[in-house]
Amino acid sequence: MQVSGNRNNLLVAAATGQMMVYSHKRLVWAAKGDTCPVAVKVATFAALQGLILTLDDAGKLVLSYMGTEPPMQSVDVRHSAEVDFAALDNEYRELTGHIQALGAPSEAVVPQEQLLITAQVPSLLDRSEGLAQDMLSGSAFSAVTVHLYLRHSGAASLTDVTLSLDAPPGLHLDQDCITVPHVSSTDSSAVIVRLQARGSGVPSDNTLTAVATYVSSSGEPRTTSTKVALPLSLFCQLVAPQQAAVFKVTLDTNRPPPQLVDLFQDMVAQAQMDLQQPGQYANVMSFRYVRGPVVTILVSKSAGRYRIQSDSFEAMWLIVQELCLRLTKFFSTAESSEQEHAGSQEDFAITFKEPVPLEELWASIEKHWQARQAVAASQAALSDQAQQQRAVQKRLLMRFKDWQPGSLAHLELLLAETFDRLMDLGSQLEQQQVEVEAARSQLGATVQLILQLVRYSFGMSLEDLNVLTSHLLPQVSDGGSVGWEELTEAGMTHLLAGQLARNQHERSVQTVPLAQACDVHKLKKHISIVLERLSQGASLSAPPG
């Protein structure tokens, strides 16, 4: 075929279906078609040149195009006008104000049809002969049966509602996923959940989380969740009072102290039922966790002062929480029944007048951080040894495949040593993972206690406490290179750049992606700054100024 002037190209069709274009013995273009042509011709159709017309032995006629047509029009590049920075700044301010208005807190929209979950939690454990003595010795497990009731607020019934349960570490669920075939709007569907305390030591949480997933009558997938506080007797039991302790926390109230037996009636009843030793718990009570430390409550006889003490700092969090909740409930009930006779008096308040013990928090953070680093180092060493073992195995296989294999050059000894090292590292990693789990539980319990002491020390509202809890997480989770330290550091940075920012410079701090931290010094510094500003009266629930 003629290209231009005296230049000619040669079009060759092969038996394999390929078509090749040669220019002076040089291949310039090639393609493979679906058919094997027996005749080829270059033709022009509709003013489009360079079309290839092929005919195969079956009489099939194919019209092919060698390429795309290049654009004939050029793109004009116009010089942009000068940027009006003032107009852009005004537009940015308007958009920022609009976004802040949309992001302002508003009342949540409650759907007309929703699934309601209520819980019935007994104050006493499931009856078992000699349970308390066996619990403290570790030869039996305490158990409690919780009843969850599901009811639909809409007119139609729900089918195949999936109830997922998440228990605190150390508690065992008979079933963690339950399917409820039918939930009506008239009668409640009961779900029985049985929990056993098979762990030992101090728990980091005492709530059962239940999440129900279902499809509404309109076909929309929805979820409903609730948290259920588990009884104190599931985690510890009353023992003989103990006076000596290493760590002490003192809480003050503005009411005369009641007797402890009136506050912990369920614990006394459990002790009387199982131990057959009623005892006298008027001003002192000691609680022992299952195969764990002992926590003691001492009450002042004259002033409303309560001292919680233990040899373990993190063990006091659950007793402090239970004591404060029961005191608040006790005085609110008493004051509501005697409101017409009591006259006007200030609301019941709990205060913590001592400095917040941050040294114990720093020690728990350091312990958890070092345990994480040890696991990471062992995992890296385990990966290196596994790679070395694969390399040695490949070399041995190559020697065995040779027709005339030479000396192994002590490769068998290297393989045996590598295997032994792998087994040692595996056992070491398992032990380190157990230590990480213990450090995780200790850190979670320590954070729980610190949050309570911060609340009563600074007089924080419940809304402010919830915001602080969502940033200083008591639920310690480690996932890969990013763990609790990195998440908490990001939360503290967010607070310091938001609600706790003092000037525009602090608000303009750029957030960085989550990455593995080098140390925990920056985390400690930011936690200290956050607590210092909270002690000065800063609010976390108010929008940033």
Side-chain angles (χ1 to χ4, degrees), residues 83 88 117 138 150 223 229 249 353 424 464:
V83 180
L88 291 177
I117 303 178
L150 283 68
T223 61
V249 169
K353 299 180 180 180
D424 294 340
D464 288 348

Side-chain angles (χ1 to χ4, degrees), residues 169-232:
L171 296 184
H172 173 73
L173 285 167
D174 292 344
Q175 285 183 291
D176 57 359
C177 186
I178 303 173
T179 301
V180 183
H182 180 78
V183 177
S184 65
S185 58
T186 55
D187 297 330
S188 299
S189 300
V191 177
I192 300 177
V193 180
R194 191 169 186 268
L195 298 98
Q196 290 183 345
R198 295 188 176 181
S200 61
V202 182
S204 59
D205 194 8
N206 67 330
T207 57
L208 171 69
T209 303
V211 180
T213 59
Y214 62 98
V215 178
S216 63
S217 57
S218 59
E220 300 176 355
R222 292 181 180 177
T223 61
T224 301
S225 63
T226 185
K227 288 184 177 294
V228 181
L230 299 175
L232 180 61

Side-chain angles (χ1 to χ4, degrees), residues 323-373:
L323 175 63
C324 295
L325 290 176
R326 294 175 187 234
L327 282 174
T328 303
K329 182 179 180 181
F330 178 84
F331 286 108
S332 61
T333 304
E335 292 174 1
S336 61
S337 61
E338 301 177 358
Q339 185 176 4
E340 62 275 8
H341 304 289
S344 59
Q345 57 180 346
E346 59 180 351
D347 297 334
F348 173 72
I350 302 175
T351 56
F352 177 67
K353 299 180 180 180
E354 302 173 2
V356 179
L358 294 180
E359 293 300 327
E360 283 72 20
L361 177 60
W362 304 153
S364 298
I365 293 177
E366 287 286 353
K367 182 178 179 180
H368 179 255
W369 172 256
Q370 292 175 2
R372 283 184 56 198
Q373 295 303 305

Side-chain angles (χ1 to χ4, degrees), residues 133-196:
Q133 294 94 335
D134 293 338
M135 272 186 59
L136 298 179
S137 61
S139 59
F141 301 119
S142 60
V144 66
T145 301
V146 179
H147 293 78
L148 299 177
Y149 298 95
L150 283 68
R151 187 175 64 85
H152 187 222
S153 61
S157 301
L158 300 177
T159 58
D160 296 334
V161 178
T162 302
L163 188 64
S164 302
L165 304 173
D166 183 23
L171 296 184
H172 173 73
L173 285 167
D174 292 344
Q175 285 183 291
D176 57 359
C177 186
I178 303 173
T179 301
V180 183
H182 180 78
V183 177
S184 65
S185 58
T186 55
D187 297 330
S188 299
S189 300
V191 177
I192 300 177
V193 180
R194 191 169 186 268
L195 298 98
Q196 290 183 345

Side-chain angles (χ1 to χ4, degrees), residues 210-482:
V211 180
T213 59
Y214 62 98
V215 178
S216 63
S217 57
S218 59
E220 300 176 355
R222 292 181 180 177
T223 61
T224 301
S225 63
T226 185
K227 288 184 177 294
V228 181
L230 299 175
L232 180 61
S233 56
L234 187 61
F235 304 97
C236 56
Q237 293 291 325
L238 283 179
V239 294
Q242 298 184 9
Q243 300 291 338
V246 177
F247 301 99
K248 300 177 182 180
V249 169
T250 302
L251 299 177
D252 295 290
T253 64
N254 55 355
R255 295 289 189 276
Q259 290 188 353
L260 290 178
V261 68
D262 296 332
L263 293 178
F264 295 92
Q265 294 180 1
D266 54 337
M267 301 297 296
V268 176
Q270 186 74 44
Q272 291 175 347
M273 181 177 62
D274 289 325
L275 293 176
Q276 299 298 328
Q277 295 177 359
Q280 297 296 327
Y281 306 104
N283 297 320
V284 58
M285 271 190 180
S286 292
F287 306 83
R288 180 185 292 277
Y289 291 96
V290 180
R291 288 173 289 176
V294 176
V295 182
T296 303
I297 303 178
L298 298 172
V299 183
S300 175
K301 296 181 179 180
S302 57
R305 183 176 292 111
Y306 305 83
R307 172 174 290 179
I308 302 92
Q309 59 186 23
S310 174
D311 291 335
S312 173
F313 179 81
E314 64 275 5
M316 295 187 291
W317 84 269
L318 185 56
I319 306 303
V320 170
Q321 176 179 284
E322 286 289 333
L323 175 63
C324 295
L325 290 176
R326 294 175 187 234
L327 282 174
T328 303
K329 182 179 180 181
F330 178 84
F331 286 108
S332 61
T333 304
E335 292 174 1
S336 61
S337 61
E338 301 177 358
Q339 185 176 4
E340 62 275 8
H341 304 289
S344 59
Q345 57 180 346
E346 59 180 351
D347 297 334
F348 173 72
I350 302 175
T351 56
F352 177 67
K353 299 180 180 180
E354 302 173 2
V356 179
L358 294 180
E359 293 300 327
E360 283 72 20
L361 177 60
W362 304 153
S364 298
I365 293 177
E366 287 286 353
K367 182 178 179 180
H368 179 255
W369 172 256
Q370 292 175 2
R372 283 184 56 198
Q373 295 303 305
V375 168
S378 296
Q379 289 176 345
L382 190 64
S383 177
D384 294 340
Q385 292 296 321
Q387 185 177 2
Q388 178 176 326
Q389 186 184 28
R390 289 191 296 268
V392 175
Q393 289 174 342
K394 288 181 180 180
R395 290 200 175 189
L396 285 175
L397 288 176
M398 292 176 62
R399 296 291 179 90
F400 293 151
K401 289 181 180 179
D402 290 342
W403 289 99
Q404 296 179 353
S407 174
L408 295 180
H410 305 292
L411 287 177
E412 73 282 4
L413 298 178
L414 181 59
L415 180 64
E417 292 179 0
T418 305
F419 178 76
D420 294 340
R421 180 60 178 164
L422 276 175
M423 299 303 295
D424 294 340
L425 286 175
S427 301
Q428 179 181 343
L429 183 59
E430 290 181 353
Q431 180 62 30
Q432 290 174 346
Q433 288 176 345
V434 173
E435 295 175 358
V436 167
E437 184 65 29
R440 185 185 299 122
S441 178
Q442 178 182 351
L443 178 58
T446 302
V447 173
Q448 292 271 22
L449 180 56
I450 291 295
L451 288 173
Q452 298 178 52
L453 298 182
V454 166
R455 177 189 181 184
Y456 299 125
S457 178
F458 304 154
M460 297 176 61
S461 62
L462 185 58
E463 293 78 7
D464 288 348
L465 179 64
N466 292 334
V467 175
L468 181 60
T469 303
S470 63
H471 291 79
L472 185 58
L473 301 173
Q475 294 81 21
V476 182
S477 60
D478 300 323
S481 60
V482 177

